[in-house]
Amino acid sequence: MSAYNRGTELDLSWISKIQVNHPAVLRRAEQIQARRTVKKEWQAAWLLKAVTFIDLTTLSGDDTSSNIQRLCYKAKYPIREDLLKALNMHDKGITTAAVCVYPARVCDAVKALKAAGCNIPVASVATGFPAGQTHLKTRLEEIRLAVEDGATEIDVVINRSLVLTGQWEGSDFIKTSTGKETVNATFPVAIVMLRAIRDFFWKTGNKIGFKPAGGIRSAKDSLAWLSLVKEELGDEWLKPELFRIGASTLLSDIERQIYHHVTGRYAAYHDLPMS
Amino acid sequence: MAATRAGPRAREIFTSLEYGPVPESHACALAWLDTQDRCLGHYVNGKWLKPEHRNSVPCQDPITGENLASCLQAQAEDVAAAVEAARMAFKSWSAHPGVVRAQHLTRLAKVIQKHQRLLWTLESLVTGRAVREVRDGDVQLAQQLLHYHAIQASTQEEALAGWEPMGVIGLILPPTFSFLEMMWRICPALAVGCTVVALVPPASPTPLLLAQLSGELGPFPGVLNVISGPASLVPILASQPGIQKVAFCGALEEGRALRRSLAGECAELGLALGTESLLLLTDTADIDSAVEGVVDAAWSDRGPGGLRLLIQESVWDEAMRRLQERMGRLRSGRGLDGAVDMGARGAAACDLVQRFVCEAQSQGAQVFQAGDVPSERPFCPPTLVSNLPPASPCAQVEVPWPVVVASPFRTAKEALLVANGTPRGGSASVWSERLGQALELGYGLQVGTVWINAHGLRDPSVPTGGCKESGCSWHGGPDGLYEYLRPSGTPAQLSCLSKNLNYDTFGLAVPSTLPAGPEIGPSPAPPYGLFVGGRFQAPGARSSRPIRDSSGNLHGYVAEGGAKDIRGAVEAAHQAFPGWAGQSPGARAALLWALAAALERRKSTLASRLERQGAELKAAEAEVELSARRLRAWGARVQAQGHTLQVAGLRGPVLRLREPLGVLAVVCPDEWPLLAFVSLLAPALAYGNTVVMVPSAACPLLALEVCQDMATVFPAGLANVVTGDRDHLTRCLALHQDIQAMWYFGSAQGSQFVEWASAGNLKPVWASRGCPRAWDQEAEGAGPELGLRAARTKALWLPMGD
């Protein structure tokens, strides 16, 4: 990632001054989905763009090197080659933004990506994911080990007990949730976070990235997230350095939509390779 | 094949990530126009009416200018035919039980649901408004309106007992309007049993389609008739015999002119004028959300007009930066595009904006325009005007769509002064996260609707209307129903028009009165003077008029009040108003009860004065007793005013407040010199108004007796009583711009004058038109009608959330 948060003096008055009107934000969240849609080639192009924002993720207790390998291959070839050709997009080098795995699987992912001959970054969740309730010492050690294994991005679960008592931490990226909660990435929450990112940028000139994760499964959802970021932050945030979508099944739905756009037919499950 | 179609563009879009067109097919709208051979007439009595030899006006796509259809323009005889059809339909429609009407409305809602695509594409095509707003907003709300009013109709016999439908309603709609404006008004009218003739501007097919959908439902073809024609037909429709009420919605000056021309005519007039809205942004607000509120109000094709934006000085820079940033992301384009925020509303709207902007600039304002807007006509970019000097002419006129005029304020108190400092009183929103401040502003704003931390929410069960020059007619909720009802047994309104009434000279001069000899009769001598500001004062003219008793003998002298005395009385009433309006209903009731007790103590004097006016002793005593009862009854009744509404889709309540009107002028009838005076005084005061009253001209002495008690019981200025020449005082009151409402019980000519003169500040008037009233009867002397007229409604939306 190119952009880093250079940090700033902690000024808690920024936080205490923030006003969020819940019902108004809920209304905005409803509107944004209804007011912006894209169709036809716009939709296809936007969906391909969405692919480049995906942190292709597997965070299962039963992950092994074989399914990690499959995931990495899918990350390199997210959309069937012939479909990309039909759209004249085959030479754009479209891959997902990263693959995202547990720390213990970083090694497998790095190996698999190297074998596939690409430099897609490996992101690792770390620091006692998903609860974050472990000692600082083991948290730091976990990060060190993941980096040692070749992870270049770390999704840190902040210690929420500190947040709830007003002791804040800084970051380069903020993520809606771990994706393991009962409620994950929702529009109202995202709107509040995006506005905070914009305010921070206006105040300090630092651009913080944004990653919604969990529950984003359909191509239509991903389009709504893109337009949300475009509307609230602008086009400058629509690049993998500043925007990621954490998802596992989203990619296959996007591929199905692209298939439909190109061929005019709805794909059967076996028409598209699994990840 | 699909691939070649997509080929080259996708690469560019992939890089630019721009939005593309999302066209909504309007094939079905065109197909419907084809069923009429692209020639639209009028829809009357369940049939299309396409008379020959009529002018026609093209209905054009406001963006491409393409001719969609030609629309026949009605002439006077077509209007007459429509009114006749509505009159015939009224007989059976109003005679049916409410459940039958409810069924009809429900069926219409279902038909709309089934054909909604036709409705929204046609509406968006011809008005140019964003299809998303029509589809997701208007069409859904239209169905909710029908369902809500179906329920009201089905419970009408119990819930609205004592009221009956007025008759045929003439509905007049402005050139720039959504079909929803029609739905808001026809739903309550039809629900309570009225029938409607709607005069729509040339080239508005959607109301015609609605009329067709309603007419094809069968048994009641004539309940909704739609004719299209030029504005010159408005007075013709309004003066058709049989039209009992004209509901006008449109521009301020047209409404004013109509008010003048309808004075004395048969039809009652309800006005809903202007489109401007107001947004108050305080320094504790969620500014980003407030900015979305501005978008909702002015730049999303939801509201019809422009917006006056008041921003607290301490957050001015921050709010303006966010606003401008947000404006840059707005998209305008063809209304039938599913991804635009704003459509276009034709060349006339565009010209209006340009004129306004040029003028504002020439007066020193800064103008900011932004957004993804096609550069060609008739598209208007979202426009933000700031630094407009408050005294410049531009700051006084109504802000047109899609302009927002922003100005700063320092404190909440100042915000109220600025916000209330316009003659308009439509709707406003308050953005503040401090509950106390938000409520203070919400209660203090002189408008019909206030949203707290939201803007432009609507619901069929919430009354929507205005005050001041925005007109005082209401739609939605209970208030919307009363617009089309009158107390049962009231005779149909008749024209009291006197063509040779000269407005310039009516009541201008006071006939001079000479001494008629010494007062004779029992002591004590009647009180003398004008009761203004809590005490008896000598009249400015320093002359008096004799009052005679029933046998022609001199009963006493009363002061001859004039224009200056009226001015003084209105000033005194205004001074007393804030204190009195701020009292709790309980405290007000306590004072009314105290006055009642005082009247009872004075019973023998009052009865003997009534006796001298020809009443029998028993009847006179009964009148005094009934007067005291009226005071007590109104005091008790106001305790239970206003209520809370629950709205679908909104967490939190909507409060329906009943607020005092302000200073109320009351000209009392000649008959029942005590009872009528008290019956009018009691509700007016109970609802928190202060009053200037002209007592019975035949015997003002009884009112003056009451004044003696008011002097000791009431704070100064609450009730002011001016005696003198009735027509002259009426003239002074009716032409006074700072009187908020007027009740007139007197001659037909006086009524006509009052109606004509009220056009000045568009104060609501209630004129008897020379019809006597049975003041001793409960329904006419103390019925709910008085309560309705003595206060105005305000809807206060309070969405909640953590």
Side-chain angles (χ1 to χ4, degrees):
Chain A
M1 276 188 290
S2 60
Y4 288 104
N5 183 359
R6 293 184 301 276
T8 178
E9 286 287 312
L10 180 64
D11 183 351
L12 284 176
S13 75
W14 291 0
I15 293 169
S16 62
K17 267 195 201 155
I18 288 175
Q19 299 285 1
V20 176
N21 188 275
H22 190 224
V25 170
L26 290 179
R27 277 195 304 276
R28 170 71 174 147
E30 259 174 45
Q31 283 171 359
I32 230 168
Q33 297 168 73
R35 285 188 184 173
R36 293 289 183 265
T37 44
V38 279
K39 296 274 185 237
K40 306 218 170 100
E41 42 272 63
W42 284 268
Q43 191 181 58
W46 278 55
L47 286 174
L48 289 177
K49 197 72 181 184
V51 169
T52 69
F53 297 140
I54 293 178
D55 276 1
L56 196 59
T57 306
T58 177
L59 293 174
S60 304
D62 57 359
D63 284 340
T64 63
S65 64
S66 73
N67 77 324
I68 296 284
Q69 198 179 359
R70 217 162 51 217
L71 187 82
C72 290
Y73 191 80
K74 188 71 184 171
K76 167 88 163 104
Y77 302 104
I79 306 289
R80 239 168 61 176
E81 184 77 7
D82 59 329
L83 299 178
L84 287 176
K85 264 198 182 125
L87 287 165
N88 192 22
M89 294 290 287
H90 53 288
D91 55 351
K92 283 276 190 182
I94 292 175
T95 66
T96 66
V99 291
C100 181
V101 294
Y102 270 124
R105 299 271 74 81
V106 171
C107 237
D108 295 336
V110 170
K111 213 183 288 172
L113 286 169
K114 197 178 256 173
C118 67
N119 52 0
I120 300 174
V122 175
S124 170
V125 296
T127 68
F129 186 90
Q133 298 279 24
T134 55
H135 292 295
L136 181 62
K137 194 169 172 191
T138 57
R139 287 154 68 88
L140 292 172
E141 187 64 13
E142 209 182 335
I143 294 173
R144 205 178 54 74
L145 290 171
V147 172
E148 226 171 63
D149 284 350
T152 51
E153 301 172 3
I154 307 289
D155 286 14
V156 177
V157 186
I158 57 169
N159 187 333
R160 274 168 286 178
S161 65
L162 291 179
V163 171
L164 291 172
T165 53
Q167 303 171 65
W168 294 88
E169 300 180 17
S171 70
D172 300 312
F173 242 81
I174 52 176
K175 190 170 166 179
T176 51
S177 71
T178 59
K180 299 269 180 200
E181 307 291 324
T182 41
V183 178
N184 290 290
T186 64
F187 268 42
V189 167
I191 287 172
V192 175
M193 292 174 80
L194 290 172
R195 287 175 178 173
I197 289 174
R198 188 193 50 204
D199 286 356
F200 189 73
F201 172 62
W202 280 358
K203 284 199 165 94
T204 68
N206 290 339
K207 287 183 183 169
I208 302 299
F210 175 67
K211 176 175 173 182
I216 305 170
R217 295 198 179 85
S218 71
K220 200 175 162 208
D221 284 350
S222 70
L223 292 177
W225 280 98
L226 255 66
S227 59
L228 177 68
V229 172
K230 188 179 167 77
E231 290 295 307
E232 288 287 335
L233 289 174
D235 289 344
E236 9 171 5
W237 256 266
L238 285 174
K239 49 188 179 188
E241 292 82 12
L242 289 170
F243 178 53
R244 298 287 177 83
I245 300 173
S248 42
T249 53
L250 168 65
L251 183 55
S252 55
D253 193 51
I254 291 184
E255 201 177 5
R256 293 168 66 75
Q257 296 304 322
I258 300 274
Y259 180 96
H260 177 248
H261 174 74
V262 171
T263 64
R265 295 157 192 254
Y266 291 105
Y269 276 99
H270 58 253
D271 282 332
L272 301 166
M274 66 184 289
S275 58
Chain B
M1 145 118 201
T4 48
R5 174 178 52 114
R9 282 292 280 154
R11 279 181 85 90
E12 296 153 31
I13 303 165
F14 183 78
T15 319
S16 67
L17 267 193
E18 65 194 7
Y19 291 114
V22 187
E24 180 97 9
S25 162
H26 57 282
C28 60
L30 296 180
W32 178 74
L33 290 171
D34 283 338
T35 63
Q36 297 302 315
D37 300 323
R38 300 282 180 134
C39 168
L40 295 171
H42 319 289
Y43 199 82
V44 172
N45 206 14
K47 290 187 288 285
W48 283 95
L49 179 68
K50 293 184 182 175
E52 286 176 6
H53 313 299
R54 297 284 188 273
N55 295 334
S56 75
V57 166
C59 171
Q60 291 175 327
D61 181 329
I63 290 149
T64 60
E66 177 197 351
N67 267 357
L68 299 169
S70 62
C71 302
L72 299 181
Q73 298 303 284
Q75 287 183 359
E77 54 193 282
D78 307 329
V79 176
V83 173
E84 188 52 34
R87 256 161 53 116
M88 296 311 291
F90 176 72
K91 286 179 189 154
S92 67
W93 179 247
S94 59
H96 275 93
V99 281
V100 175
R101 291 195 292 276
Q103 251 170 15
H104 187 83
L105 294 179
T106 311
R107 285 176 64 205
L108 182 56
K110 284 187 178 148
V111 171
I112 289 181
Q113 188 189 17
K114 287 172 191 157
H115 301 290
Q116 47 181 309
R117 172 175 291 274
L118 170 57
L119 202 56
W120 83 55
T121 47
L122 182 68
E123 172 79 356
S124 174
L125 176 67
V126 294
T127 62
R129 289 171 65 231
V131 66
R132 162 191 54 73
E133 202 51 54
V134 181
R135 180 190 60 207
D136 303 343
D138 296 5
V139 173
Q140 309 311 318
L141 188 51
Q143 295 169 52
Q144 290 164 15
L145 277 166
L146 285 162
H147 285 302
Y148 172 82
H149 286 98
I151 292 169
Q152 305 309 309
S154 69
T155 60
Q156 186 181 358
E157 281 84 1
E158 306 93 73
L160 296 169
W163 296 84
E164 62 182 21
M166 283 182 166
V168 180
I169 308 298
L171 173 60
I172 296 157
L173 294 161
T176 50
F177 85 105
S178 145
F179 77 96
L180 207 53
E181 294 296 332
M182 180 169 107
M183 295 302 292
W184 274 111
R185 289 162 179 89
I186 61 169
C187 288
L190 294 179
V192 300
C194 294
T195 56
V196 179
V197 176
L199 173 64
V200 299
S204 339
T206 327
L208 288 165
L209 169 62
L210 275 168
Q212 187 191 0
L213 292 177
S214 163
E216 285 173 357
L217 280 179
F220 307 106
V223 296
L224 174 59
N225 308 280
V226 175
I227 46 177
S228 79
S232 57
L233 284 179
V234 170
I236 295 173
L237 171 65
S239 56
Q240 286 290 322
I243 292 267
Q244 287 291 302
K245 170 149 192 166
V246 173
F248 176 89
C249 122
L252 172 64
E253 285 312 319
E254 287 168 34
R256 219 191 280 278
L258 188 63
R259 172 66 281 176
R260 291 203 173 102
S261 70
L262 276 190
E265 293 270 12
C266 161
E268 202 177 297
L269 180 61
L271 296 170
L273 307 175
T275 54
E276 186 187 284
S277 193
L278 177 86
L279 192 147
L280 257 174
L281 203 172
T282 70
D283 61 0
T284 61
D286 172 356
I287 298 178
D288 286 305
S289 291
V291 166
E292 292 305 326
V294 176
V295 174
D296 284 343
W299 298 322
S300 69
D301 272 1
R302 177 170 299 176
L307 180 75
R308 219 166 265 282
L309 171 64
L310 300 180
I311 304 175
Q312 194 151 20
E313 216 170 22
S314 49
V315 289
W316 172 268
D317 292 335
E318 203 182 336
M320 289 301 269
R321 179 176 188 179
R322 278 160 212 261
L323 207 51
Q324 294 181 351
E325 168 93 4
R326 181 70 179 86
M327 287 171 77
R329 300 195 209 292
L330 290 167
R331 302 186 72 232
S332 177
R334 188 169 164 71
L336 282 166
D337 187 322
V340 299
D341 297 297
M342 288 163 49
R345 301 192 187 175
C350 205
D351 292 339
L352 189 64
V353 177
Q354 271 174 357
R355 270 203 308 278
F356 184 87
V357 167
C358 287
E359 212 168 299
Q361 265 170 331
S362 73
Q363 287 159 13
Q366 282 174 3
V367 174
F368 178 84
Q369 296 184 318
D372 179 2
V373 183
S375 54
E376 71 270 16
R377 272 169 71 86
F379 290 98
C380 312
T383 305
L384 177 63
V385 174
S386 54
N387 288 358
L388 187 63
S392 65
C394 238
Q396 316 300 321
V397 301
E398 191 173 59
V399 179
W401 173 90
V403 179
V404 172
V405 174
S407 33
F409 66 89
R410 289 171 302 174
T411 60
K413 209 172 183 180
E414 189 180 64
L416 273 185
L417 281 178
V418 177
N420 290 337
T422 78
R424 291 170 283 276
S427 60
S429 65
V430 172
W431 296 78
S432 165
E433 292 301 312
R434 271 166 55 198
L435 179 66
Q437 184 186 50
L439 288 175
E440 172 80 23
L441 290 168
Y443 274 78
L445 284 167
Q446 291 164 4
V447 291
T449 305
V450 179
W451 299 279
I452 305 289
N453 292 322
H455 198 104
L457 304 181
R458 302 207 276 182
D459 189 89
S461 62
V462 179
T464 310
C467 59
K468 298 201 271 190
E469 291 190 4
S470 291
C472 56
S473 87
W474 287 79
H475 51 262
D479 302 77
L481 298 171
Y482 288 119
E483 285 284 313
Y484 306 103
L485 289 168
R486 62 172 159 231
S488 301
T490 315
Q493 282 236 74
L494 294 173
S495 169
C496 69
L497 184 67
S498 149
K499 291 259 192 245
N500 50 16
L501 176 65
N502 187 338
Y503 294 122
D504 292 336
T505 57
F506 174 85
L508 190 61
V510 184
S512 50
T513 45
L514 298 169
E519 290 163 40
I520 45 169
S523 58
Y528 176 85
L530 306 172
F531 185 68
V532 172
R535 58 198 183 85
F536 286 95
Q537 299 181 356
R542 293 291 190 272
S543 57
S544 308
R545 57 172 44 223
I547 301 298
R548 296 185 186 280
D549 62 17
S550 56
S551 43
N553 295 326
L554 183 70
H555 190 173
Y557 286 101
V558 295
E560 183 74 71
K564 290 230 168 88
D565 303 309
I566 290 291
R567 187 195 65 185
V570 173
E571 262 170 31
H574 268 294
Q575 269 176 6
F577 177 71
W580 182 240
Q583 297 267 5
S584 72
R588 295 202 288 255
L591 287 191
L592 291 177
W593 283 46
L595 184 63
L599 283 193
E600 280 163 349
R601 281 196 297 275
R602 201 179 281 274
K603 188 166 162 186
S604 62
T605 320
L606 290 167
S608 73
R609 291 226 183 276
L610 284 168
E611 252 187 306
R612 268 199 82 177
Q613 292 300 317
E616 285 185 18
L617 179 61
K618 263 205 162 147
E621 284 178 348
E623 185 174 344
V624 178
E625 280 161 20
L626 184 54
S627 302
R629 274 211 303 280
R630 289 271 155 88
L631 284 166
R632 291 209 172 91
W634 279 109
R637 220 181 276 182
V638 230
Q639 307 283 317
Q641 56 165 324
H643 56 265
T644 308
L645 305 164
Q646 202 63 51
V647 166
L650 178 87
R651 294 191 60 230
V654 179
L655 307 184
R656 175 180 175 263
L657 309 174
R658 296 287 287 160
E659 295 190 335
L661 300 158
V663 174
L664 179 59
V666 182
V667 179
C668 299
D670 273 352
E671 65 275 15
W672 298 100
L674 175 66
L675 182 62
F677 175 81
V678 172
S679 297
L680 290 165
L681 175 77
L685 289 184
Y687 278 93
N689 305 290
T690 52
V691 291
V692 177
M693 299 186 81
V694 176
S696 156
C699 183
L701 297 171
L702 283 140
L704 293 174
E705 292 284 354
V706 179
C707 288
Q708 288 191 312
D709 289 322
M710 293 201 284
T712 57
V713 172
F714 286 168
L718 211 56
N720 304 277
V721 176
V722 180
T723 51
D725 180 70
R726 177 191 196 88
D727 286 351
H728 180 61
L729 296 176
T730 298
R731 180 184 185 90
C732 299
L733 289 168
L735 288 172
H736 202 297
Q737 289 285 100
D738 211 10
I739 285 175
Q740 278 69 43
M742 182 156 177
W743 296 351
Y744 179 84
F745 295 89
S747 67
Q749 285 208 340
S751 300
Q752 185 181 342
F753 180 84
V754 167
E755 288 179 356
W756 175 85
S758 72
N761 66 347
L762 291 169
K763 57 173 93 61
V765 293
W766 181 21
S768 68
R769 304 183 151 206
C771 299
R773 215 176 155 85
W775 293 99
D776 55 336
Q777 300 298 310
E778 187 64 18
E780 295 199 4
E785 189 185 12
L786 282 107
L788 269 184
R789 299 210 189 240
R792 64 160 179 253
T793 300
K794 178 193 272 179
L796 182 60
W797 293 68
L798 292 167
M800 63 186 194
D802 59 352

